[in-house]
Amino acid sequence: MVIHWGAPLPVEEDLDSLWAAQVMDVTGGMMDETAPLSICPEARLGWAGMPGAVLIDENGCRVLPHLTHVTVRTERSDLGRPQSLNVSAEDPARGISYHAVLALTGEGMVQTWASVTAPGHVVEWLAAPLLPVPPDSDGVLDFSGRWIGEFQLQRYEWRPGIHMREARQGRSGHEHPPFAVLTSRGATNTAGEVRALSYDWSGGHRMIAEELSDGRRQLQFGHAPGSHSKGHARTATLTATFSGEGLNGTARNFQRHVRKMTTPHARQPRPVHYNCWEAVYFDHDPVELRDIACRAADLGAERFVLDDGWFGRRDDDRTSLGDWTVDRRKWPEGLRPFAEHVESLGMGFGLWVEPEMVNKDSDLYRAHPEWLLGPADQPSGRQQFVLDLAQSAVAEHIFTCLDRLLTEVPITYLKWDHNRVLPFADERQVRGLDSLLDRLTLAHPGVEIETCASGGGRIDLGILRHAGRVWLSDSNDALERLRIQHDAALFLPACVTGSHVGPRHCHTSGRTLDIRFRAWVAAQRHMGFEMDPRELTEDEARILRSVTDWWKANRDWRMAADILRLDHPDPAVIAEIQVAQDGARFVVFAGQAAASAQSLTRPLQLAGLEAGARYRVTLRNADEAPPLSRGAPALKSGPLILSGQALMRQGVTLPWRFPEGVWVLEGERVP
Ligand code: GLA
């Protein structure tokens, strides 16, 4: 049982007393002993809530394991402090063994995982070793979402019963991303105790937040039921962190952790992307695309991504997934000359693939109908089906196709898509993908992978082991993106978060948005363009070029900066500050998402600065103030020098502006 997870206690704290202080009473209507809320709560001991493990035996009967013979092994770090705990327990009568690990990363993260070996049994549910919910927790923040509406923050307030989030369709999903945040009373973005957790798994999971009638609360994460193979189960890693500095404290810890654990590409200078999807869709014409590539390079793109439509006979989404050979009708000379053209323009060449999928109208399916995951008569999703990666022939085939492509064409980047849910959750599928990606990365270490699943349908720390970028959403609508990326920053750093400047008339919302707004919103993260550059007016192209130049000039520190969400008293404003690792500079993006209720802007209080330091703050885009901004807020006419304390407590007043625009406030520490 983990007794304390939170603010550090004094080193001399007596652990026996700490334990004794938590022992619960017994009253009427209860068992005579209160079952412990251990790292794997056991129903056999009278635990009335969701147990940590549920097993089914060969007769289909539920088994309550009798775990005894508990051993605990401690591994110590160089400093002599415990670094990890290995807990083992056995149910000798049934031949079941349980193993748990709880480890500290040394950088503020706790990681836990568990495994069960139970010959002849099906492990229906296995929770990663539990971390305690603090007594002053007032609820859980987690995300719901949908296609073009990812990472919608929602709040669950503790009350008796269960709040369950379950991604049953074999991927982490738009609907229930595997993240949760436990807030303590009064926590805000900038203050209060917060604990954030991630279940690092792409294959479907379950989260249970439960309050028992005795008042205790638990938070469990595990694979979606039905995922585990017979006889053995292993949870994914549960990664968690505590902060006494509000949501921004845990966000900072997660952003830094992700930046470190993901692929090295995310830590190298991020190239500005151009993606041709919303410009041409399936309609590939090399002459047009060459022209588009020239224009993209002229705008400042450094990587050109050829999206869906280049292979098989892929004129729409009904055909050809699985046939990873170039469509010679569209590309008579193959892709190499085009890739070389892209390179000659100073850009890297990237390609879209969706290797885990197959259309029934494909040579692959006609040759291998038995490679499908699940029954042949299942309904299709986007006209497609999933390949069974647990079959070694399937994995071998996909590897060979991709390996050939990567060898024949100078590709430095794959946009790896996954546009259909699985027929069921199956851990073998994720393990198959893991090995495929490991093998591919070993063979082609220079190739960066981006994870995409109809936008943000597979964003989790499992896939981020292989992919250094996430396609956060298929919505290139800057107004939607402003919100989505702001909320996703509770876990995701800028360097992994793709954000593109979309078309003037947004294809997924019908909105018409100004180029300044589109450009600055994309500039908040890993920037790219995803419109037909031929639609840009001279003026739009000039503005886009200038924001892109600004992005490039600042990318080195910004892609490693901490993104802190600002608590702004105006709900129409979505604001964040990005602070450089050395604290010497920052940039604030204050997005006016809607018209404010009051007539004037409220001062914006910053965060994450040194109270005693002085900063020069400059409104980068003061020229965007409309004629209706008739007054004279100081920032309109030049920089101000203020202390961190003044910026964080009193704040700064930005000029009035139309909705659908972003103020960009740059700051640098002055000696
Ligand atoms: C998915 C992706 C898009 C695009 C299309 C191509 O929907 O999310 O960005 O790549 O597939 O078919």
Side-chain angles (χ1 to χ4, degrees):
M1 164 168 183
V2 178
I3 300 175
H4 178 77
W5 170 41
L9 300 171
V11 182
E12 60 276 10
E13 191 79 56
D14 179 57
L15 295 185
D16 291 333
S17 305
L18 194 67
W19 158 247
Q22 298 217 344
V23 174
M24 298 186 78
D25 203 351
V26 176
T27 180
M30 299 181 75
M31 304 289 280
D32 294 332
E33 268 178 54
T34 314
L37 204 182
S38 68
I39 56 171
C40 180
E42 292 174 74
R44 190 189 59 83
L45 300 178
W47 173 249
M50 180 72 188
V54 177
L55 281 74
I56 313 282
D57 72 11
E58 269 160 333
N59 305 318
C61 297
R62 206 167 189 215
V63 171
L64 306 181
H66 185 177
L67 292 173
T68 55
H69 299 68
V70 179
T71 59
V72 179
R73 189 164 46 84
T74 311
E75 276 168 24
R76 290 181 187 273
S77 70
D78 296 345
L79 299 170
R81 299 220 175 93
Q83 193 80 352
S84 67
L85 289 175
N86 281 267
V87 182
S88 297
E90 305 281 336
D91 178 344
R94 294 193 182 85
I96 297 173
S97 58
Y98 171 86
H99 186 75
V101 178
L102 294 95
L104 300 173
T105 65
E107 281 141 356
M109 311 306 282
V110 185
Q111 296 190 311
T112 79
W113 61 93
S115 64
V116 160
T117 305
H121 294 71
V122 171
V123 182
E124 182 62 14
W125 171 244
L126 178 63
L130 271 65
L131 294 168
V133 175
D136 63 349
S137 170
D138 58 1
V140 181
L141 285 172
D142 54 40
F143 301 104
S144 66
R146 59 165 163 80
W147 179 67
I148 63 168
E150 289 82 350
F151 284 92
Q152 301 181 28
L153 257 188
Q154 59 174 20
R155 179 164 188 83
Y156 170 78
E157 278 172 28
W158 289 110
R159 53 182 170 274
I162 280 184
H163 167 62
M164 184 168 85
R165 306 299 309 277
E166 190 166 308
R168 302 190 183 112
Q169 292 179 300
R171 64 178 192 192
S172 36
H174 293 91
E175 304 80 7
H176 313 273
F179 303 104
V181 178
L182 277 169
T183 51
S184 287
R185 234 181 355 256
T188 62
N189 282 320
T190 49
E193 290 207 348
V194 177
R195 289 150 180 87
L197 304 98
S198 144
Y199 191 65
D200 305 349
W201 183 244
S202 308
H205 59 274
R206 180 197 260 178
M207 180 198 91
I208 283 177
E210 182 175 21
E211 181 174 300
L212 275 67
S213 62
D214 64 23
R216 284 182 294 174
R217 292 158 178 166
Q218 65 164 342
L219 191 62
Q220 294 193 5
F221 280 93
H223 283 16
S227 305
H228 297 297
S229 312
K230 198 170 180 190
H232 183 78
R234 187 191 186 285
T235 69
T237 301
L238 177 69
T239 301
T241 190
F242 162 82
S243 174
E245 294 171 39
L247 294 164
N248 285 335
T250 55
R252 176 173 20 208
N253 292 353
F254 259 104
Q255 290 167 19
R256 290 183 178 183
H257 173 72
V258 169
R259 206 154 43 225
K260 203 167 159 203
M261 55 72 65
T262 189
T263 66
H265 305 281
R267 294 181 291 280
Q268 285 154 14
R270 301 309 257 149
V272 175
H273 274 215
Y274 175 78
N275 180 298
C276 68
W277 178 239
E278 294 203 358
V280 298
Y281 293 102
F282 297 100
D283 202 2
H284 289 198
D285 172 344
V287 177
E288 277 194 27
L289 280 162
R290 276 173 181 258
D291 175 34
I292 289 176
C294 291
R295 291 168 188 260
D298 177 57
L299 290 168
E302 298 161 310
R303 176 183 274 160
F304 184 102
V305 182
L306 185 67
D307 211 281
D308 197 355
W310 58 268
F311 55 93
R313 300 177 72 79
R314 183 91 168 156
D315 296 334
D316 55 43
D317 62 16
R318 286 178 296 191
T319 173
S320 299
L321 288 175
D323 298 343
W324 300 109
T325 45
V326 179
D327 183 347
R328 295 278 168 173
R329 297 170 310 155
K330 296 179 188 171
W331 297 95
E333 297 170 28
L335 293 180
R336 181 170 260 280
F338 181 67
E340 285 167 356
H341 170 68
V342 163
E343 282 182 337
S344 74
L345 295 166
M347 298 185 287
F349 181 64
L351 194 65
W352 179 95
V353 288
E354 197 177 357
E356 298 152 87
M357 300 288 162
V358 67
N359 289 114
K360 285 197 175 169
D361 181 8
S362 66
D363 293 341
L364 183 72
Y365 181 76
R366 283 182 282 271
H368 291 289
E370 76 285 5
W371 283 5
L372 219 66
L373 179 72
D377 61 353
Q378 61 185 292
S380 58
R382 206 196 188 199
Q383 336 277 350
Q384 66 195 54
F385 297 86
V386 185
L387 291 169
D388 183 358
L389 296 186
Q391 296 185 38
S392 51
V394 177
E396 189 58 37
H397 172 79
I398 299 176
F399 175 80
T400 308
C401 293
L402 294 173
D403 183 53
R404 190 183 315 123
L405 257 179
L406 296 175
T407 310
E408 285 172 1
V409 185
I411 295 167
T412 55
Y413 171 89
L414 288 176
K415 176 176 174 187
W416 187 294
D417 217 331
H418 187 282
N419 285 307
R420 185 208 194 280
V421 293
L422 271 53
F424 40 74
D426 182 354
E427 87 177 308
R428 294 172 322 150
Q429 187 72 7
V430 185
R431 304 254 181 252
L433 176 66
D434 264 349
S435 343
L436 176 63
L437 287 168
D438 275 341
R439 192 173 165 201
L440 209 64
T441 309
L442 202 64
H444 302 276
V447 176
E448 176 174 1
I449 293 173
E450 171 176 64
T451 175
C452 173
S454 306
R458 187 160 66 180
I459 297 180
D460 55 78
L461 272 57
I463 201 75
L464 275 160
R465 261 195 345 103
H466 308 283
R469 192 183 204 247
V470 305
W471 185 227
L472 189 63
S473 176
D474 272 354
S475 176
N476 284 318
D477 176 315
L479 191 58
E480 308 282 346
R481 270 295 167 121
L482 179 70
R483 203 273 314 146
I484 299 172
Q485 62 197 23
H486 184 71
D487 289 336
L490 285 174
F491 290 88
L492 300 181
C495 62
V496 306
T497 311
S499 193
H500 295 175
V501 179
R504 189 183 307 124
H505 303 293
C506 178
H507 294 189
T508 49
S509 69
R511 280 195 190 102
T512 302
L513 295 168
D514 187 79
I515 188 67
R516 293 169 191 80
F517 185 44
R518 285 181 278 147
W520 282 121
V521 169
Q524 291 182 24
R525 299 293 186 266
H526 180 187
M527 187 175 191
F529 319 137
E530 189 164 339
M531 90 299 267
D532 189 335
R534 294 170 298 187
E535 77 166 35
L536 295 171
T537 63
E538 274 297 302
D539 206 35
E540 286 173 331
R542 182 185 53 76
I543 292 163
L544 184 51
R545 241 179 251 120
S546 109
V547 175
T548 307
D549 287 346
W550 176 88
W551 189 87
K552 288 180 181 172
N554 289 283
R555 72 177 132 200
D556 288 348
W557 70 268
R558 281 201 43 233
M559 292 298 101
D562 299 318
I563 306 170
L564 310 177
R565 295 153 33 106
L566 297 177
D567 288 315
H568 195 45
D570 185 345
V573 176
I574 297 177
E576 66 183 35
I577 183 169
Q578 302 182 358
V579 185
Q581 293 278 325
D582 65 1
R585 52 208 300 190
F586 66 81
V587 60
V588 174
F589 295 99
Q592 186 79 40
S596 298
Q598 74 287 350
S599 42
L600 291 176
T601 53
R602 294 203 161 108
L604 180 66
Q605 293 165 295
L606 310 191
L609 305 179
E610 268 176 64
R614 282 155 29 96
Y615 299 87
R616 178 181 297 105
V617 289
T618 314
L619 189 58
R620 169 87 203 172
N621 54 346
D623 61 335
E624 287 185 25
L628 270 176
S629 159
R630 300 193 298 136
L635 285 168
K636 263 169 94 172
S637 45
L640 284 175
I641 294 187
L642 288 162
S643 70
Q645 183 77 322
L647 287 166
M648 293 190 291
R649 293 285 153 259
Q650 177 186 307
V652 278
T653 303
L654 298 168
W656 187 93
R657 71 168 309 143
F658 293 141
E660 296 167 3
V662 182
W663 285 128
V664 182
L665 188 69
E666 294 180 271
E668 58 181 333
R669 197 165 53 201
V670 291

